[in-house]
Amino acid sequence: MSETSNPEAHRPIRTFGRIGGRALSGRQQGLIDTLLPHLAVPIGEAASIDPLSLFENAKDVWLEIGFGGAEHFLEQARRNPETGFIGCEPFIEGMAKALTGIEDTGLTNTRLWMDDARDMMARLTPHSLNRVFILFPDPWPKKRQQKRRLIQDDFLDEIIRLVKPGGQVRFATDVMSYADEALARFSKKSSIEWLASSADNWRKPPNDHVTTRYETKQLGDCAPVWFDFQIK
């Protein structure tokens, strides 16, 4: 089969690891079956969905890509009730945790996407997001794997398309090679400004950050670093 006739050849490289994991509880599976369809971002044509229209009373929209155990996603949504939150997470265990938290706390300002974030982002209208969080994405630490990392030039072009001028992007990692590579890629984009004014701006968690259980495990090869950027 030729590359032109093989649809797999045109799909983006997957930027996250395994999908399967431990079995869900009965409650979690029930939430996947019943609550997730109501909160899922709808399928639409490219650049056709204004994310603000997905929320009843939101004044702006924030996106978190790969929310893992959902601690950061849920707490930010609780702290900012007038903001609409879209959370992307391909792993069903993380999605089940988010749904459980949403039901337990009664949050009404969240929408969810259980697949590759880039597929959902392509459906959003330009300049429709105010903030984007990319916290500890899969680092693909081996040299031969690094082409799978999420922070690539085309992905940053999509971020620039979606985030309003003056909007912000936060990236965090605890893998030194990814920190260096990501900062270099962000810095190459003339429409993106790094907001750091001192070393503490990237060595210490931002004041509005929510610490997660993943961070406390210290699985990377360096202390976490935090890069806040602004879209010009």
Side-chain angles (χ1 to χ4, degrees):
M1 181 179 292
S2 69
E3 182 174 315
T4 55
S5 63
N6 180 8
E8 295 295 319
H10 301 283
R11 299 187 65 182
I13 294 174
R14 202 170 85 178
T15 58
F16 45 88
R18 67 171 182 82
I19 291 293
R22 66 184 63 179
L24 301 181
S25 68
R27 180 192 179 193
Q28 288 175 325
Q29 187 61 57
L31 291 171
I32 292 289
D33 295 339
T34 60
L35 182 56
L36 179 57
H38 292 286
L39 297 180
V41 175
I43 301 297
E45 299 297 324
S48 66
I49 299 172
D50 179 355
L52 199 60
S53 69
L54 303 177
F55 305 94
E56 289 188 6
N57 300 307
K59 295 181 178 180
D60 55 11
V61 179
W62 297 3
L63 168 67
E64 182 166 351
I65 298 173
F67 56 64
E71 301 105 315
H72 179 274
F73 176 72
L74 294 170
E75 179 60 15
Q76 290 285 7
R78 186 194 68 80
R79 291 179 184 179
N80 301 278
E82 294 186 342
T83 294
F85 283 81
I86 299 176
C88 299
E89 174 56 51
F91 302 139
I92 194 169
E93 301 100 314
M95 188 60 65
K97 291 177 181 177
L99 290 166
T100 300
I102 289 168
E103 184 178 64
D104 286 346
T105 58
L107 290 171
T108 60
N109 59 333
T110 60
R111 299 300 292 263
L112 300 168
W113 180 264
M114 194 171 69
D115 208 329
D116 193 319
R118 295 168 297 178
D119 292 340
M120 186 277 299
M121 292 166 66
R123 295 172 164 86
L124 302 183
T125 54
H127 306 308
S128 56
L129 300 175
N130 296 79
R131 292 190 75 177
V132 176
F133 297 96
I134 310 164
L135 306 180
F136 305 98
D138 196 322
W140 296 105
K142 296 179 181 179
K143 188 69 174 178
R144 68 176 184 275
Q145 299 173 332
Q146 290 177 7
K147 64 182 180 180
R148 295 183 178 273
R149 288 175 170 173
L150 181 63
I151 306 301
Q152 305 288 342
D153 288 345
D154 57 349
F155 174 77
L156 294 181
D157 288 339
E158 185 71 344
I159 290 286
I160 293 167
R161 183 184 76 85
L162 290 176
V163 178
K164 297 178 180 180
Q168 295 189 8
V169 180
R170 176 171 295 162
F171 173 84
T173 184
D174 56 3
V175 175
M176 187 176 298
S177 66
Y178 204 176
D180 292 341
E181 179 186 341
L183 182 59
R185 289 187 181 277
F186 274 102
S187 298
K188 283 196 310 181
K189 299 294 183 180
S190 61
S191 297
I192 299 178
E193 178 184 3
W194 187 23
L195 297 177
S197 59
S198 70
D200 280 352
N201 293 137
W202 54 268
R203 288 176 177 169
K204 294 183 178 181
N207 291 333
D208 63 346
H209 176 63
V210 178
T211 302
T212 66
R213 282 174 287 181
Y214 174 85
E215 292 173 58
T216 63
K217 294 178 181 179
Q218 300 182 354
L219 299 176
D221 61 5
C222 69
V225 295
W226 314 87
F227 299 143
D228 277 348
F229 303 96
Q230 186 173 70
I231 304 301
K232 297 179 182 179

PDB file of all heavy atoms in Angstrom, residues 87-125:
ATOM      1  N   GLY A  87     -10.829  20.234  29.253  1.00  0.00           N
ATOM      2  CA  GLY A  87      -9.758  19.339  29.634  1.00  0.00           C
ATOM      3  C   GLY A  87      -9.619  18.200  28.646  1.00  0.00           C
ATOM      4  O   GLY A  87     -10.606  17.540  28.304  1.00  0.00           O
ATOM      5  N   CYS A  88      -8.392  17.965  28.176  1.00  0.00           N
ATOM      6  CA  CYS A  88      -8.113  16.879  27.237  1.00  0.00           C
ATOM      7  C   CYS A  88      -7.273  15.821  27.949  1.00  0.00           C
ATOM      8  O   CYS A  88      -6.245  16.148  28.547  1.00  0.00           O
ATOM      9  CB  CYS A  88      -7.352  17.389  26.028  1.00  0.00           C
ATOM     10  SG  CYS A  88      -8.224  18.638  25.064  1.00  0.00           S
ATOM     11  N   GLU A  89      -7.698  14.571  27.855  1.00  0.00           N
ATOM     12  CA  GLU A  89      -6.950  13.482  28.468  1.00  0.00           C
ATOM     13  C   GLU A  89      -7.293  12.193  27.730  1.00  0.00           C
ATOM     14  O   GLU A  89      -8.444  11.762  27.718  1.00  0.00           O
ATOM     15  CB  GLU A  89      -7.323  13.347  29.947  1.00  0.00           C
ATOM     16  CG  GLU A  89      -6.705  12.157  30.662  1.00  0.00           C
ATOM     17  CD  GLU A  89      -5.179  12.153  30.563  1.00  0.00           C
ATOM     18  OE1 GLU A  89      -4.551  13.194  30.869  1.00  0.00           O
ATOM     19  OE2 GLU A  89      -4.624  11.111  30.168  1.00  0.00           O
ATOM     20  N   PRO A  90      -6.301  11.558  27.076  1.00  0.00           N
ATOM     21  CA  PRO A  90      -6.594  10.349  26.302  1.00  0.00           C
ATOM     22  C   PRO A  90      -6.784   9.102  27.149  1.00  0.00           C
ATOM     23  O   PRO A  90      -7.373   8.133  26.681  1.00  0.00           O
ATOM     24  CB  PRO A  90      -5.376  10.212  25.393  1.00  0.00           C
ATOM     25  CG  PRO A  90      -4.270  10.847  26.179  1.00  0.00           C
ATOM     26  CD  PRO A  90      -4.905  11.987  26.917  1.00  0.00           C
ATOM     27  N   PHE A  91      -6.286   9.099  28.390  1.00  0.00           N
ATOM     28  CA  PHE A  91      -6.341   7.901  29.226  1.00  0.00           C
ATOM     29  C   PHE A  91      -7.660   7.837  29.982  1.00  0.00           C
ATOM     30  O   PHE A  91      -8.048   8.797  30.662  1.00  0.00           O
ATOM     31  CB  PHE A  91      -5.177   7.868  30.218  1.00  0.00           C
ATOM     32  CG  PHE A  91      -3.833   7.924  29.558  1.00  0.00           C
ATOM     33  CD1 PHE A  91      -2.819   8.693  30.087  1.00  0.00           C
ATOM     34  CD2 PHE A  91      -3.580   7.215  28.393  1.00  0.00           C
ATOM     35  CE1 PHE A  91      -1.568   8.740  29.492  1.00  0.00           C
ATOM     36  CE2 PHE A  91      -2.341   7.257  27.777  1.00  0.00           C
ATOM     37  CZ  PHE A  91      -1.328   8.019  28.328  1.00  0.00           C
ATOM     38  N   ILE A  92      -8.331   6.707  29.911  1.00  0.00           N
ATOM     39  CA  ILE A  92      -9.651   6.589  30.503  1.00  0.00           C
ATOM     40  C   ILE A  92      -9.609   6.690  32.023  1.00  0.00           C
ATOM     41  O   ILE A  92     -10.558   7.186  32.642  1.00  0.00           O
ATOM     42  CB  ILE A  92     -10.331   5.275  30.048  1.00  0.00           C
ATOM     43  CG1 ILE A  92     -11.826   5.303  30.363  1.00  0.00           C
ATOM     44  CG2 ILE A  92      -9.642   4.058  30.671  1.00  0.00           C
ATOM     45  CD1 ILE A  92     -12.604   4.168  29.714  1.00  0.00           C
ATOM     46  N   GLU A  93      -8.502   6.260  32.652  1.00  0.00           N
ATOM     47  CA  GLU A  93      -8.421   6.374  34.111  1.00  0.00           C
ATOM     48  C   GLU A  93      -8.438   7.837  34.547  1.00  0.00           C
ATOM     49  O   GLU A  93      -9.120   8.206  35.507  1.00  0.00           O
ATOM     50  CB  GLU A  93      -7.148   5.707  34.640  1.00  0.00           C
ATOM     51  CG  GLU A  93      -7.026   4.240  34.304  1.00  0.00           C
ATOM     52  CD  GLU A  93      -6.098   4.032  33.113  1.00  0.00           C
ATOM     53  OE1 GLU A  93      -6.244   4.768  32.104  1.00  0.00           O
ATOM     54  OE2 GLU A  93      -5.236   3.134  33.190  1.00  0.00           O
ATOM     55  N   GLY A  94      -7.688   8.688  33.854  1.00  0.00           N
ATOM     56  CA  GLY A  94      -7.691  10.108  34.172  1.00  0.00           C
ATOM     57  C   GLY A  94      -9.046  10.735  33.908  1.00  0.00           C
ATOM     58  O   GLY A  94      -9.521  11.574  34.689  1.00  0.00           O
ATOM     59  N   MET A  95      -9.679  10.353  32.816  1.00  0.00           N
ATOM     60  CA  MET A  95     -11.000  10.896  32.511  1.00  0.00           C
ATOM     61  C   MET A  95     -12.009  10.489  33.577  1.00  0.00           C
ATOM     62  O   MET A  95     -12.861  11.300  33.986  1.00  0.00           O
ATOM     63  CB  MET A  95     -11.450  10.408  31.136  1.00  0.00           C
ATOM     64  CG  MET A  95     -12.724  11.068  30.639  1.00  0.00           C
ATOM     65  SD  MET A  95     -12.609  12.879  30.480  1.00  0.00           S
ATOM     66  CE  MET A  95     -11.375  13.042  29.180  1.00  0.00           C
ATOM     67  N   ALA A  96     -11.914   9.257  34.046  1.00  0.00           N
ATOM     68  CA  ALA A  96     -12.827   8.799  35.101  1.00  0.00           C
ATOM     69  C   ALA A  96     -12.623   9.609  36.379  1.00  0.00           C
ATOM     70  O   ALA A  96     -13.591   9.947  37.081  1.00  0.00           O
ATOM     71  CB  ALA A  96     -12.612   7.316  35.364  1.00  0.00           C
ATOM     72  N   LYS A  97     -11.379   9.951  36.703  1.00  0.00           N
ATOM     73  CA  LYS A  97     -11.116  10.763  37.893  1.00  0.00           C
ATOM     74  C   LYS A  97     -11.697  12.160  37.733  1.00  0.00           C
ATOM     75  O   LYS A  97     -12.243  12.734  38.691  1.00  0.00           O
ATOM     76  CB  LYS A  97      -9.615  10.824  38.159  1.00  0.00           C
ATOM     77  CG  LYS A  97      -9.017   9.506  38.615  1.00  0.00           C
ATOM     78  CD  LYS A  97      -7.508   9.605  38.787  1.00  0.00           C
ATOM     79  CE  LYS A  97      -6.917   8.272  39.226  1.00  0.00           C
ATOM     80  NZ  LYS A  97      -5.438   8.331  39.341  1.00  0.00           N
ATOM     81  N   ALA A  98     -11.576  12.719  36.548  1.00  0.00           N
ATOM     82  CA  ALA A  98     -12.150  14.042  36.307  1.00  0.00           C
ATOM     83  C   ALA A  98     -13.666  14.006  36.462  1.00  0.00           C
ATOM     84  O   ALA A  98     -14.259  14.885  37.107  1.00  0.00           O
ATOM     85  CB  ALA A  98     -11.768  14.528  34.910  1.00  0.00           C
ATOM     86  N   LEU A  99     -14.298  13.014  35.882  1.00  0.00           N
ATOM     87  CA  LEU A  99     -15.750  12.911  35.968  1.00  0.00           C
ATOM     88  C   LEU A  99     -16.216  12.719  37.409  1.00  0.00           C
ATOM     89  O   LEU A  99     -17.217  13.301  37.839  1.00  0.00           O
ATOM     90  CB  LEU A  99     -16.238  11.758  35.094  1.00  0.00           C
ATOM     91  CG  LEU A  99     -16.104  11.986  33.588  1.00  0.00           C
ATOM     92  CD1 LEU A  99     -16.273  10.678  32.826  1.00  0.00           C
ATOM     93  CD2 LEU A  99     -17.116  13.020  33.096  1.00  0.00           C
ATOM     94  N   THR A 100     -15.485  11.915  38.170  1.00  0.00           N
ATOM     95  CA  THR A 100     -15.830  11.721  39.577  1.00  0.00           C
ATOM     96  C   THR A 100     -15.736  13.040  40.335  1.00  0.00           C
ATOM     97  O   THR A 100     -16.622  13.387  41.129  1.00  0.00           O
ATOM     98  CB  THR A 100     -14.896  10.681  40.221  1.00  0.00           C
ATOM     99  OG1 THR A 100     -15.031   9.434  39.525  1.00  0.00           O
ATOM    100  CG2 THR A 100     -15.235  10.472  41.687  1.00  0.00           C
ATOM    101  N   GLY A 101     -14.666  13.791  40.097  1.00  0.00           N
ATOM    102  CA  GLY A 101     -14.507  15.082  40.756  1.00  0.00           C
ATOM    103  C   GLY A 101     -15.575  16.081  40.352  1.00  0.00           C
ATOM    104  O   GLY A 101     -16.067  16.852  41.184  1.00  0.00           O
ATOM    105  N   ILE A 102     -15.933  16.087  39.082  1.00  0.00           N
ATOM    106  CA  ILE A 102     -16.976  16.998  38.600  1.00  0.00           C
ATOM    107  C   ILE A 102     -18.314  16.679  39.275  1.00  0.00           C
ATOM    108  O   ILE A 102     -19.030  17.581  39.732  1.00  0.00           O
ATOM    109  CB  ILE A 102     -17.097  16.905  37.074  1.00  0.00           C
ATOM    110  CG1 ILE A 102     -15.862  17.537  36.419  1.00  0.00           C
ATOM    111  CG2 ILE A 102     -18.367  17.584  36.569  1.00  0.00           C
ATOM    112  CD1 ILE A 102     -15.727  17.245  34.937  1.00  0.00           C
ATOM    113  N   GLU A 103     -18.642  15.405  39.373  1.00  0.00           N
ATOM    114  CA  GLU A 103     -19.896  15.019  40.016  1.00  0.00           C
ATOM    115  C   GLU A 103     -19.869  15.330  41.507  1.00  0.00           C
ATOM    116  O   GLU A 103     -20.846  15.845  42.068  1.00  0.00           O
ATOM    117  CB  GLU A 103     -20.170  13.534  39.800  1.00  0.00           C
ATOM    118  CG  GLU A 103     -21.516  13.096  40.379  1.00  0.00           C
ATOM    119  CD  GLU A 103     -21.812  11.635  40.126  1.00  0.00           C
ATOM    120  OE1 GLU A 103     -21.072  10.782  40.651  1.00  0.00           O
ATOM    121  OE2 GLU A 103     -22.794  11.354  39.417  1.00  0.00           O
ATOM    122  N   ASP A 104     -18.747  15.050  42.171  1.00  0.00           N
ATOM    123  CA  ASP A 104     -18.655  15.266  43.617  1.00  0.00           C
ATOM    124  C   ASP A 104     -18.738  16.743  43.990  1.00  0.00           C
ATOM    125  O   ASP A 104     -19.277  17.094  45.048  1.00  0.00           O
ATOM    126  CB  ASP A 104     -17.347  14.685  44.155  1.00  0.00           C
ATOM    127  CG  ASP A 104     -17.355  13.166  44.212  1.00  0.00           C
ATOM    128  OD1 ASP A 104     -18.442  12.561  44.085  1.00  0.00           O
ATOM    129  OD2 ASP A 104     -16.257  12.576  44.370  1.00  0.00           O
ATOM    130  N   THR A 105     -18.177  17.617  43.168  1.00  0.00           N
ATOM    131  CA  THR A 105     -18.122  19.043  43.498  1.00  0.00           C
ATOM    132  C   THR A 105     -19.212  19.864  42.826  1.00  0.00           C
ATOM    133  O   THR A 105     -19.375  21.045  43.147  1.00  0.00           O
ATOM    134  CB  THR A 105     -16.757  19.623  43.108  1.00  0.00           C
ATOM    135  OG1 THR A 105     -16.531  19.414  41.701  1.00  0.00           O
ATOM    136  CG2 THR A 105     -15.637  18.952  43.891  1.00  0.00           C
ATOM    137  N   GLY A 106     -19.935  19.270  41.890  1.00  0.00           N
ATOM    138  CA  GLY A 106     -21.006  19.992  41.213  1.00  0.00           C
ATOM    139  C   GLY A 106     -20.515  21.055  40.251  1.00  0.00           C
ATOM    140  O   GLY A 106     -21.239  22.021  39.973  1.00  0.00           O
ATOM    141  N   LEU A 107     -19.323  20.896  39.718  1.00  0.00           N
ATOM    142  CA  LEU A 107     -18.795  21.876  38.775  1.00  0.00           C
ATOM    143  C   LEU A 107     -19.674  21.946  37.526  1.00  0.00           C
ATOM    144  O   LEU A 107     -20.094  20.915  36.988  1.00  0.00           O
ATOM    145  CB  LEU A 107     -17.365  21.514  38.372  1.00  0.00           C
ATOM    146  CG  LEU A 107     -16.282  21.662  39.443  1.00  0.00           C
ATOM    147  CD1 LEU A 107     -14.969  21.053  38.958  1.00  0.00           C
ATOM    148  CD2 LEU A 107     -16.087  23.133  39.813  1.00  0.00           C
ATOM    149  N   THR A 108     -19.918  23.165  37.064  1.00  0.00           N
ATOM    150  CA  THR A 108     -20.739  23.356  35.869  1.00  0.00           C
ATOM    151  C   THR A 108     -19.990  24.063  34.750  1.00  0.00           C
ATOM    152  O   THR A 108     -20.602  24.453  33.748  1.00  0.00           O
ATOM    153  CB  THR A 108     -22.003  24.167  36.219  1.00  0.00           C
ATOM    154  OG1 THR A 108     -21.605  25.452  36.747  1.00  0.00           O
ATOM    155  CG2 THR A 108     -22.851  23.443  37.252  1.00  0.00           C
ATOM    156  N   ASN A 109     -18.701  24.244  34.917  1.00  0.00           N
ATOM    157  CA  ASN A 109     -17.910  25.020  33.942  1.00  0.00           C
ATOM    158  C   ASN A 109     -16.818  24.179  33.293  1.00  0.00           C
ATOM    159  O   ASN A 109     -15.723  24.673  33.005  1.00  0.00           O
ATOM    160  CB  ASN A 109     -17.299  26.256  34.606  1.00  0.00           C
ATOM    161  CG  ASN A 109     -16.378  25.918  35.781  1.00  0.00           C
ATOM    162  OD1 ASN A 109     -16.551  24.884  36.422  1.00  0.00           O
ATOM    163  ND2 ASN A 109     -15.427  26.795  36.078  1.00  0.00           N
ATOM    164  N   THR A 110     -17.084  22.901  33.045  1.00  0.00           N
ATOM    165  CA  THR A 110     -16.083  22.023  32.440  1.00  0.00           C
ATOM    166  C   THR A 110     -16.650  21.322  31.216  1.00  0.00           C
ATOM    167  O   THR A 110     -17.840  20.982  31.164  1.00  0.00           O
ATOM    168  CB  THR A 110     -15.600  20.948  33.429  1.00  0.00           C
ATOM    169  OG1 THR A 110     -16.713  20.153  33.854  1.00  0.00           O
ATOM    170  CG2 THR A 110     -14.936  21.576  34.646  1.00  0.00           C
ATOM    171  N   ARG A 111     -15.780  21.115  30.229  1.00  0.00           N
ATOM    172  CA  ARG A 111     -16.058  20.250  29.084  1.00  0.00           C
ATOM    173  C   ARG A 111     -14.821  19.386  28.876  1.00  0.00           C
ATOM    174  O   ARG A 111     -13.695  19.780  29.229  1.00  0.00           O
ATOM    175  CB  ARG A 111     -16.364  21.063  27.813  1.00  0.00           C
ATOM    176  CG  ARG A 111     -17.592  21.958  27.930  1.00  0.00           C
ATOM    177  CD  ARG A 111     -18.872  21.186  28.216  1.00  0.00           C
ATOM    178  NE  ARG A 111     -19.280  20.352  27.108  1.00  0.00           N
ATOM    179  CZ  ARG A 111     -20.193  20.687  26.193  1.00  0.00           C
ATOM    180  NH1 ARG A 111     -20.775  21.878  26.253  1.00  0.00           N
ATOM    181  NH2 ARG A 111     -20.525  19.859  25.232  1.00  0.00           N
ATOM    182  N   LEU A 112     -15.017  18.217  28.237  1.00  0.00           N
ATOM    183  CA  LEU A 112     -13.962  17.210  28.205  1.00  0.00           C
ATOM    184  C   LEU A 112     -13.765  16.648  26.802  1.00  0.00           C
ATOM    185  O   LEU A 112     -14.695  16.626  25.978  1.00  0.00           O
ATOM    186  CB  LEU A 112     -14.311  16.070  29.172  1.00  0.00           C
ATOM    187  CG  LEU A 112     -14.482  16.477  30.642  1.00  0.00           C
ATOM    188  CD1 LEU A 112     -15.113  15.335  31.433  1.00  0.00           C
ATOM    189  CD2 LEU A 112     -13.144  16.880  31.254  1.00  0.00           C
ATOM    190  N   TRP A 113     -12.540  16.154  26.590  1.00  0.00           N
ATOM    191  CA  TRP A 113     -12.192  15.515  25.300  1.00  0.00           C
ATOM    192  C   TRP A 113     -11.269  14.347  25.605  1.00  0.00           C
ATOM    193  O   TRP A 113     -10.156  14.555  26.081  1.00  0.00           O
ATOM    194  CB  TRP A 113     -11.500  16.523  24.385  1.00  0.00           C
ATOM    195  CG  TRP A 113     -11.101  15.977  23.048  1.00  0.00           C
ATOM    196  CD1 TRP A 113      -9.875  15.485  22.688  1.00  0.00           C
ATOM    197  CD2 TRP A 113     -11.914  15.875  21.874  1.00  0.00           C
ATOM    198  NE1 TRP A 113      -9.876  15.088  21.384  1.00  0.00           N
ATOM    199  CE2 TRP A 113     -11.120  15.315  20.854  1.00  0.00           C
ATOM    200  CE3 TRP A 113     -13.243  16.205  21.605  1.00  0.00           C
ATOM    201  CZ2 TRP A 113     -11.607  15.086  19.579  1.00  0.00           C
ATOM    202  CZ3 TRP A 113     -13.727  15.964  20.324  1.00  0.00           C
ATOM    203  CH2 TRP A 113     -12.919  15.415  19.332  1.00  0.00           C
ATOM    204  N   MET A 114     -11.728  13.116  25.332  1.00  0.00           N
ATOM    205  CA  MET A 114     -10.936  11.934  25.636  1.00  0.00           C
ATOM    206  C   MET A 114     -10.292  11.380  24.365  1.00  0.00           C
ATOM    207  O   MET A 114     -10.657  10.314  23.861  1.00  0.00           O
ATOM    208  CB  MET A 114     -11.797  10.855  26.324  1.00  0.00           C
ATOM    209  CG  MET A 114     -10.945   9.746  26.967  1.00  0.00           C
ATOM    210  SD  MET A 114     -11.886   8.592  28.007  1.00  0.00           S
ATOM    211  CE  MET A 114     -12.870   7.741  26.762  1.00  0.00           C
ATOM    212  N   ASP A 115      -9.342  12.132  23.866  1.00  0.00           N
ATOM    213  CA  ASP A 115      -8.612  11.721  22.663  1.00  0.00           C
ATOM    214  C   ASP A 115      -7.450  12.684  22.494  1.00  0.00           C
ATOM    215  O   ASP A 115      -7.155  13.478  23.379  1.00  0.00           O
ATOM    216  CB  ASP A 115      -9.538  11.732  21.443  1.00  0.00           C
ATOM    217  CG  ASP A 115      -9.108  10.737  20.372  1.00  0.00           C
ATOM    218  OD1 ASP A 115      -7.884  10.484  20.257  1.00  0.00           O
ATOM    219  OD2 ASP A 115      -9.974  10.221  19.640  1.00  0.00           O
ATOM    220  N   ASP A 116      -6.802  12.622  21.353  1.00  0.00           N
ATOM    221  CA  ASP A 116      -5.688  13.502  21.054  1.00  0.00           C
ATOM    222  C   ASP A 116      -6.172  14.957  21.065  1.00  0.00           C
ATOM    223  O   ASP A 116      -7.104  15.323  20.335  1.00  0.00           O
ATOM    224  CB  ASP A 116      -5.125  13.144  19.679  1.00  0.00           C
ATOM    225  CG  ASP A 116      -3.783  13.789  19.394  1.00  0.00           C
ATOM    226  OD1 ASP A 116      -3.606  14.979  19.745  1.00  0.00           O
ATOM    227  OD2 ASP A 116      -2.910  13.124  18.820  1.00  0.00           O
ATOM    228  N   ALA A 117      -5.552  15.796  21.888  1.00  0.00           N
ATOM    229  CA  ALA A 117      -5.967  17.191  22.010  1.00  0.00           C
ATOM    230  C   ALA A 117      -5.917  17.922  20.675  1.00  0.00           C
ATOM    231  O   ALA A 117      -6.731  18.811  20.407  1.00  0.00           O
ATOM    232  CB  ALA A 117      -5.088  17.910  23.025  1.00  0.00           C
ATOM    233  N   ARG A 118      -4.981  17.563  19.819  1.00  0.00           N
ATOM    234  CA  ARG A 118      -4.825  18.279  18.553  1.00  0.00           C
ATOM    235  C   ARG A 118      -6.036  18.126  17.654  1.00  0.00           C
ATOM    236  O   ARG A 118      -6.372  19.046  16.896  1.00  0.00           O
ATOM    237  CB  ARG A 118      -3.555  17.801  17.849  1.00  0.00           C
ATOM    238  CG  ARG A 118      -2.273  18.147  18.615  1.00  0.00           C
ATOM    239  CD  ARG A 118      -1.062  17.434  18.056  1.00  0.00           C
ATOM    240  NE  ARG A 118      -1.190  15.995  18.188  1.00  0.00           N
ATOM    241  CZ  ARG A 118      -0.287  15.127  17.744  1.00  0.00           C
ATOM    242  NH1 ARG A 118       0.807  15.566  17.147  1.00  0.00           N
ATOM    243  NH2 ARG A 118      -0.469  13.829  17.908  1.00  0.00           N
ATOM    244  N   ASP A 119      -6.713  16.970  17.741  1.00  0.00           N
ATOM    245  CA  ASP A 119      -7.925  16.775  16.940  1.00  0.00           C
ATOM    246  C   ASP A 119      -9.024  17.736  17.375  1.00  0.00           C
ATOM    247  O   ASP A 119      -9.784  18.249  16.539  1.00  0.00           O
ATOM    248  CB  ASP A 119      -8.417  15.333  17.075  1.00  0.00           C
ATOM    249  CG  ASP A 119      -7.479  14.335  16.433  1.00  0.00           C
ATOM    250  OD1 ASP A 119      -6.662  14.735  15.582  1.00  0.00           O
ATOM    251  OD2 ASP A 119      -7.552  13.141  16.792  1.00  0.00           O
ATOM    252  N   MET A 120      -9.141  17.958  18.677  1.00  0.00           N
ATOM    253  CA  MET A 120     -10.150  18.886  19.182  1.00  0.00           C
ATOM    254  C   MET A 120      -9.756  20.326  18.886  1.00  0.00           C
ATOM    255  O   MET A 120     -10.594  21.140  18.470  1.00  0.00           O
ATOM    256  CB  MET A 120     -10.333  18.674  20.682  1.00  0.00           C
ATOM    257  CG  MET A 120     -11.468  19.479  21.321  1.00  0.00           C
ATOM    258  SD  MET A 120     -11.013  21.166  21.747  1.00  0.00           S
ATOM    259  CE  MET A 120      -9.699  20.863  22.935  1.00  0.00           C
ATOM    260  N   MET A 121      -8.495  20.658  19.078  1.00  0.00           N
ATOM    261  CA  MET A 121      -8.036  22.026  18.852  1.00  0.00           C
ATOM    262  C   MET A 121      -8.302  22.478  17.418  1.00  0.00           C
ATOM    263  O   MET A 121      -8.645  23.636  17.177  1.00  0.00           O
ATOM    264  CB  MET A 121      -6.555  22.129  19.189  1.00  0.00           C
ATOM    265  CG  MET A 121      -6.253  21.957  20.676  1.00  0.00           C
ATOM    266  SD  MET A 121      -4.481  21.674  21.027  1.00  0.00           S
ATOM    267  CE  MET A 121      -3.776  23.250  20.529  1.00  0.00           C
ATOM    268  N   ALA A 122      -8.149  21.579  16.475  1.00  0.00           N
ATOM    269  CA  ALA A 122      -8.360  21.938  15.071  1.00  0.00           C
ATOM    270  C   ALA A 122      -9.793  22.369  14.798  1.00  0.00           C
ATOM    271  O   ALA A 122     -10.061  23.067  13.810  1.00  0.00           O
ATOM    272  CB  ALA A 122      -8.002  20.755  14.173  1.00  0.00           C
ATOM    273  N   ARG A 123     -10.725  21.994  15.664  1.00  0.00           N
ATOM    274  CA  ARG A 123     -12.134  22.324  15.475  1.00  0.00           C
ATOM    275  C   ARG A 123     -12.517  23.677  16.082  1.00  0.00           C
ATOM    276  O   ARG A 123     -13.626  24.158  15.884  1.00  0.00           O
ATOM    277  CB  ARG A 123     -13.005  21.222  16.091  1.00  0.00           C
ATOM    278  CG  ARG A 123     -12.860  19.877  15.391  1.00  0.00           C
ATOM    279  CD  ARG A 123     -13.590  18.774  16.157  1.00  0.00           C
ATOM    280  NE  ARG A 123     -13.773  17.577  15.339  1.00  0.00           N
ATOM    281  CZ  ARG A 123     -12.883  16.615  15.202  1.00  0.00           C
ATOM    282  NH1 ARG A 123     -11.726  16.706  15.834  1.00  0.00           N
ATOM    283  NH2 ARG A 123     -13.119  15.562  14.453  1.00  0.00           N
ATOM    284  N   LEU A 124     -11.615  24.298  16.856  1.00  0.00           N
ATOM    285  CA  LEU A 124     -11.931  25.550  17.537  1.00  0.00           C
ATOM    286  C   LEU A 124     -11.657  26.754  16.648  1.00  0.00           C
ATOM    287  O   LEU A 124     -10.746  26.751  15.823  1.00  0.00           O
ATOM    288  CB  LEU A 124     -11.112  25.663  18.822  1.00  0.00           C
ATOM    289  CG  LEU A 124     -11.282  24.539  19.847  1.00  0.00           C
ATOM    290  CD1 LEU A 124     -10.466  24.851  21.096  1.00  0.00           C
ATOM    291  CD2 LEU A 124     -12.740  24.304  20.194  1.00  0.00           C
ATOM    292  N   THR A 125     -12.450  27.794  16.853  1.00  0.00           N
ATOM    293  CA  THR A 125     -12.288  29.018  16.084  1.00  0.00           C
ATOM    294  C   THR A 125     -11.024  29.765  16.516  1.00  0.00           C
ATOM    295  O   THR A 125     -10.560  29.623  17.648  1.00  0.00           O
ATOM    296  CB  THR A 125     -13.511  29.931  16.259  1.00  0.00           C
ATOM    297  OG1 THR A 125     -13.730  30.146  17.666  1.00  0.00           O
ATOM    298  CG2 THR A 125     -14.747  29.306  15.647  1.00  0.00           C
TER     299      THR A 125
END
